[in-house]
Every structure is written in C-alpha cells, then in structure tokens.
C-alpha cells in the first residue's frame, strides 16, 4: 500500500490484512520500534482529539521521530500553500505525512509530493482510518461482514465517516441503510433511506453520526431543536431496548450527548464507542507499517 487516501482505493484483501495486523498489535500490545530512522509530520488543519492523538501514540510505538507541526505557528500563517508546506517537509527529509484538511480531496493537488500521505480526514469527503477502525470493531464483534444489516443515522451529507463506511461495508458484503432528516440526505450514495423505528429490531449495527454544525449552511440548519432530533433520529433508551441481543452501537465521536445518543448509553453494554477509539491506535499502527514497508521496498 503506497499511501491511504480513500477507502475506494483499497481492495478487500488489503482491508482484511490491515484489520488482522491491527488485531495482532492489539493482542501483543507491545511497542514495535522498527522505524526509528523515519520522520513523520502530522498536519492537522482541522481540530482533532482521537485521530491526532492516536496517530501520535501509534507513531511513537513504531519508533518514528515526530516533526513538530502546528498550523497556528507554522508558515501556513504567512500564506504558504498546502502543496508548498508538504514539499518543504519532503525536502527536509520527512518520510510520511498524515494530513487532515477541510478541503474535500485536498490530496489531488499533492500529486507531485513524493512521500506517502495518510488521509486523516478531508472535509466531507473521506476518513479512511476511521472507517478501518470501525471495520476492525465490527470484525471483533461478528467475525465477518457478509449479510450484516447496518443503519447509519444522522448527518449523512456532511459526514466523511458515513461516506467511507458506505463504500467499505458494501464492498465487504454488508447491507447499508441510512436514516436521516431530509436536509441531510446525500442522493449521490445509493443506500435506501429508512425510518429508524422500522428497522431498529432487525439491525446488527447502529452507526450514529455526529451532527456537524461546523459544516452546515443555512439550508441545512434544522428547524427543530436538539431534543427533537434526539427523539426523531437519535438512539433513545427506548430504541436501545428494542435492539437485538447481539446488536452493537457505534459512533465515531466526539459525541453530542443527548442529541445523537442518550448520555447514559455512551458506555452501555452494546456500545463500542470507546472500543472504537482504542482500536484506532492499533489500526493506525497497521496503516503506517503497511505504507512504510511499501516505501522501503521501492
Ligand atoms: N472521530 C474523529 O475523527 O475524532 P477527532 O475529530 O477527535 O479526531
């Protein structure tokens, strides 16, 4: 795997390999510092807690040297472009870039960058490492993806997590449905829209999405209050109690408690929310290892 920009670029064999490798790291839970001669820079142009922190831990467990980079103190503030920033880091000797950027498909302007890029989220485009850690979490619960019924709920149109998981879960044989207010539907994705109350007793996975206020334009701002959103589209205690015994609840987080999910359910037995975060670190170790192994072979 030369780099990781979008889930559409991965084969199912590559996905299974990354999940297996992440499970191996998790089972051993040891540092594996084979990349102590490599340098990595994490370029986060949007805020992050989980993704950035878990990349940093993963990088340090693999022995990588971290190049300090913050948009607020870098020459981005002097107007330097994303391309020039990346080319500068490549010239200095950085071996790997992890990039989160507000622009959809920002990586299309980075074709002349000759070091690998791992996409840590591009606008409302894709979030491939989130999708992979979600798949790892599903795999831990079900050992398979084929035939699983998944309902992805909420802000579909603005969610890079929804888009990434739509592609990857369908490629792996799961049945994906969406449940969403009209203004947050995405007609470019072909999954059926359902009423959550019609499917809650049949689904294996309820995948909740954060309401992404920062991406909404005036047309997309809902006319109802958070409390109404919770009643109409969120995971209420009543809906949770109707889930199948083996069903699981996921959310990429950060969670708007009481909006997408009742606060008391965030750590309920069926919730995998903190397991997703734990898996993210191991999964990111697997992705970094796969990319740097390929780089070493070239
Ligand atoms: N799930 C996720 O991407 O969280 P952060 O924005 O905190 O990285």
């Amino acid at each position: 795997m030369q780099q990781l920009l979008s889930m559409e670029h991965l084969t199912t064999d590559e996905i299974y390999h990354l999940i297996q490798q992440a499970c191996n790291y998790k089972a051993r839970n040891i540092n594996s510092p084979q990349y102590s001669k490599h340098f990595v820079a994490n370029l986060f142009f949007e805020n992050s807690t989980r993704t950035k922190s878990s990349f940093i831990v993963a990088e340090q467990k693999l022995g990588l040297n971290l190049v300090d980079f913050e948009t607020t103190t870098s020459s981005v503030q002097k107007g330097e472009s994303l391309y020039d920033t990346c080319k500068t880091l490549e010239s200095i000797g950085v071996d790997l870039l992890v990039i989160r950027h507000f622009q959809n498909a920002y990586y299309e302007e980075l074709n002349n960058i000759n070091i690998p890029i791992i996409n840590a989220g591009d606008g409302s485009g894709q979030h491939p490492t989130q999708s992979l850690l979600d798949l790892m979490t599903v795999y831990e619960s079900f050992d398979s993806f084929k035939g699983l019924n998944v309902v992805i709920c909420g802000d579909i149109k603005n969610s890079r997590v929804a888009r990434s998981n739509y592609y990857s879960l369908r490629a792996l044989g799961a049945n994906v449905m969406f449940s969403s207010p009209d203004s947050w539907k995405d007609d470019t994705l072909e999954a059926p829209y359902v009423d959550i109350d019609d499917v809650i007793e049949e689904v294996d996975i309820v995948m909740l999405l954060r309401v992404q206020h920062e991406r909404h334009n005036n047309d997309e701002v809902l006319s109802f209050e958070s409390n109404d959103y919770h009643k109409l589209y969120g995971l209420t205690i009543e809906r949770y109690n109707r889930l199948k015994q083996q069903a699981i609840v996921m959310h990429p987080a950060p969670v708007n408690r009481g909006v997408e999910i009742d606060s008391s359910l965030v750590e309920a037995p069926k919730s995998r929310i903190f397991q997703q975060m734990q898996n993210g670190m191991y999964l990111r170790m697997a992705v970094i290892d796969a990319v740097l192994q390929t780089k070493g072979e070239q």
Side-chain angles (χ1 to χ4, degrees), residues 16-33:
Y16 277 113
H17 173 77
L18 289 167
I19 292 172
Q20 198 55 60
Q21 179 72 346
C23 290
N24 291 343
Y25 280 130
K26 188 173 178 178
R28 288 186 289 140
N29 192 24
I30 52 170
N31 293 0
S32 186

Side-chain angles (χ1 to χ4, degrees), residues 38-241:
H38 290 72
F39 290 84
V40 59
N42 299 309
L43 281 57
F44 277 70
F45 292 81
E46 280 188 338
N47 295 340
S48 170
T49 296
R50 275 144 291 272
T51 310
K52 186 173 182 185
S53 303
S54 60
F55 263 114
I56 289 171
V57 175
E59 289 155 359
Q60 295 198 328
K61 278 181 174 272
L62 290 170
L64 282 145
N65 301 287
L66 272 65
V67 174
D68 188 31
F69 180 91
E70 294 292 341
T71 54
T72 49
T73 53
S74 74
S75 288
V76 169
Q77 296 300 326
K78 301 173 194 166
E80 191 162 43
S81 68
L82 177 62
Y83 178 83
D84 285 342
T85 301
C86 293
K87 202 68 186 171
T88 299
L89 292 165
E90 177 190 322
S91 309
I92 289 167
V94 168
D95 299 282
L96 172 65
L97 298 170
V98 175
I99 305 177
R100 169 173 288 189
H101 201 278
F102 47 82
Q103 186 184 312
N104 285 19
Y106 66 80
Y107 44 80
E108 287 175 356
E109 65 186 65
L110 301 180
N111 285 337
N112 288 335
I113 300 299
N114 297 310
I115 52 174
I117 295 167
I118 299 175
N119 180 8
D122 61 291
S124 56
Q126 290 243 348
H127 193 349
T129 58
Q130 177 72 46
S131 179
L132 287 164
L133 74 88
D134 290 345
L135 296 175
M136 176 182 174
T137 308
V138 170
Y139 192 75
E140 285 180 329
S141 287
F142 296 101
D143 273 338
S144 169
F145 301 94
K146 214 166 178 52
L148 289 177
N149 292 316
V150 186
V151 61
I152 304 180
C153 304
D155 195 354
I156 309 290
K157 186 172 167 182
N158 295 292
S159 174
R160 53 195 175 207
V161 178
R163 191 158 293 98
S164 302
N165 280 333
Y166 163 84
Y167 289 117
S168 57
L169 284 165
R170 282 164 50 112
L172 292 163
N175 306 313
V176 176
M177 299 167 271
F178 292 142
S179 178
S180 165
D182 283 345
S183 52
W184 293 344
K185 288 183 177 171
D186 184 340
D187 296 333
T188 66
L189 306 178
E190 287 175 6
Y193 281 84
V194 295
D195 183 330
I196 187 169
D197 284 312
D198 291 342
V199 298
I200 195 73
E201 287 157 12
E202 296 155 26
V203 293
D204 301 292
I205 301 166
V206 179
M207 196 173 274
L208 305 165
L209 301 172
R210 183 173 67 85
V211 176
Q212 306 203 35
H213 299 289
E214 73 276 20
R215 298 196 201 283
H216 295 160
N217 58 36
N218 285 342
D219 296 341
E220 293 170 45
V221 175
L222 295 178
S223 55
F224 47 76
E225 298 296 321
S226 297
N227 195 29
D228 295 328
Y229 177 87
H230 183 62
K231 280 189 205 143
L232 288 170
Y233 301 100
L235 190 66
T236 59
I237 293 171
E238 188 269 333
R239 288 190 182 113
Y240 181 88
N241 288 335

